[in-house]
Amino acid sequence: MEWPGFLYGFYERKLLRSLEQEKIPRHIGVMVDGNRRWARQFNAPTSEGHQAGADKIHEFLGWCQELGVKVVTLYMLSTDNMNRSGEELELLMGIIANTLDRLDDDADISVHAMGAPELLPDYLAERLNKLTARTPIRERLHVNVAVGYGGRREIVDAVRELLHDAVAHGRNITELADELSVDDISRFLYTRGQPDPDLVIRTSGEQRLSGFLMWQSAYSEFYFCEALWPAFRKVDFLRALRDYAGRQRRFGS
């Protein structure tokens, strides 16, 4: 049963009042899942689902800015998604490109690209590079855009770069193997220099990581939401934050 709009507004304000600023996660990872299923519910083309999902991204980033979240990582296109039909991929790449253009218009957002640019069309890879190189006028939110991203590939890329760096600095590989630490690999991840995600949200009812931030999410809190991504509401987000605030993070202890 759907609630009237004024009740949702009342509930939203109540949730907002219940949140303590010091318990807002600094870094949130989001798996924007369910665009295609949302389109099927309305007998709409898949492209409409992807476009609705893109619109929701901008709405979501606004909520994050409002609440003081500092870093958001968006899982927009995985390496597995690259196996979809050529027609769907072409439409999806165009929607992602338009999404990047809209991010470029926001002076408060900085963007970092995560993934394998060689898997993407040249025009999309170029837009990602341009956006990543841009310095925002004032940074209220840092957004990692995971496009052509795979968690296992990220770890392989990090180890490969670590080895190349060791050789370039004349280090002995056997010595490196003996001394290798977690921090050594972390220095070469796509998110190097950033805090690990405090909270990872996945929409659409699926309860798995699907390769998202496999290394970085070792001690993250997870929140799985039944809503499909285009239908994800601010109250759903606030519920996730309330749930996160009520947890006692142990970090393996």
Side-chain angles (χ1 to χ4, degrees):
M1 178 179 176
E2 288 291 331
W3 291 4
F6 75 91
L7 284 180
Y8 268 121
F10 174 79
Y11 183 44
E12 181 182 305
R13 291 189 294 274
K14 181 180 178 181
L15 286 171
L16 274 171
R17 288 194 298 269
S18 72
L19 295 175
E20 300 176 35
Q21 187 59 43
E22 62 270 19
K23 293 186 178 180
I24 297 293
R26 183 182 179 191
H27 180 178
I28 298 178
V30 188
M31 307 177 73
V32 295
D33 192 21
N35 294 343
R36 296 198 293 180
R37 275 172 281 172
W38 181 88
R40 285 199 294 270
Q41 285 184 350
F42 298 98
N43 294 316
T46 299
S47 58
E48 288 192 19
H50 290 314
Q51 184 58 60
D55 294 338
K56 182 61 62 174
I57 283 173
H58 296 285
E59 189 177 2
F60 176 79
L61 295 179
W63 302 337
C64 289
Q65 288 177 307
E66 174 189 335
L67 290 163
V69 176
K70 299 302 181 184
V71 182
V72 172
T73 300
L74 298 167
Y75 200 9
M76 296 179 66
L77 182 71
S78 72
T79 49
D80 291 336
N81 293 153
M82 304 298 289
N83 296 322
R84 293 180 179 177
S85 71
E87 181 182 1
E88 181 180 352
L89 273 178
E90 184 178 355
L91 289 168
L92 181 54
M93 298 288 189
I95 290 170
I96 291 174
N98 291 335
T99 301
L100 297 178
D101 289 342
R102 290 175 67 182
L103 290 177
D104 198 17
D105 290 336
D106 193 325
D108 295 337
I109 289 179
S110 64
V111 177
H112 174 66
M114 295 171 49
E118 65 272 17
L119 298 179
L120 306 176
D122 290 342
Y123 75 89
L124 186 53
E126 289 169 4
R127 291 194 196 193
L128 282 167
N129 288 335
K130 177 184 175 183
L131 194 51
T132 297
R134 186 202 66 168
T135 301
I137 297 174
R138 54 191 177 276
E139 184 185 72
R140 290 180 60 198
L141 183 65
H142 180 85
V143 180
N144 297 312
V145 179
V147 181
Y149 172 87
R152 289 178 175 176
R153 179 172 183 138
E154 178 181 16
I155 296 170
V156 170
D157 284 348
V159 173
R160 182 182 294 115
E161 191 173 350
L162 169 63
L163 293 174
H164 282 308
D165 181 74
V167 170
H169 287 86
R171 293 189 64 185
N172 180 278
I173 297 300
T174 301
E175 176 186 323
L176 172 64
D178 290 339
E179 299 175 354
L180 188 65
S181 70
V182 168
D183 289 339
D184 289 328
I185 294 177
S186 295
R187 286 190 300 112
F188 292 96
L189 295 172
Y190 299 153
T191 56
R192 66 195 75 177
Q194 301 182 32
D196 288 339
D198 302 296
L199 173 65
V200 175
I201 298 172
R202 180 165 189 167
T203 56
S204 84
E206 302 292 347
Q207 298 188 23
R208 59 181 183 275
L209 274 180
S210 298
F212 183 50
L213 300 178
M214 294 169 61
W215 182 282
Q216 298 92 327
S217 65
Y219 295 109
S220 301
E221 300 295 325
F222 295 90
Y223 185 86
F224 300 104
C225 178
E226 291 294 326
L228 303 175
W229 175 248
F232 188 70
R233 304 159 303 179
K234 189 174 183 179
V235 292
D236 296 316
F237 182 43
L238 295 175
R239 284 170 177 162
L241 297 182
R242 180 184 62 183
D243 183 83
Y244 169 83
R247 299 185 191 183
Q248 182 177 356
R249 304 191 69 193
R250 301 182 185 279
F251 299 97
S253 63

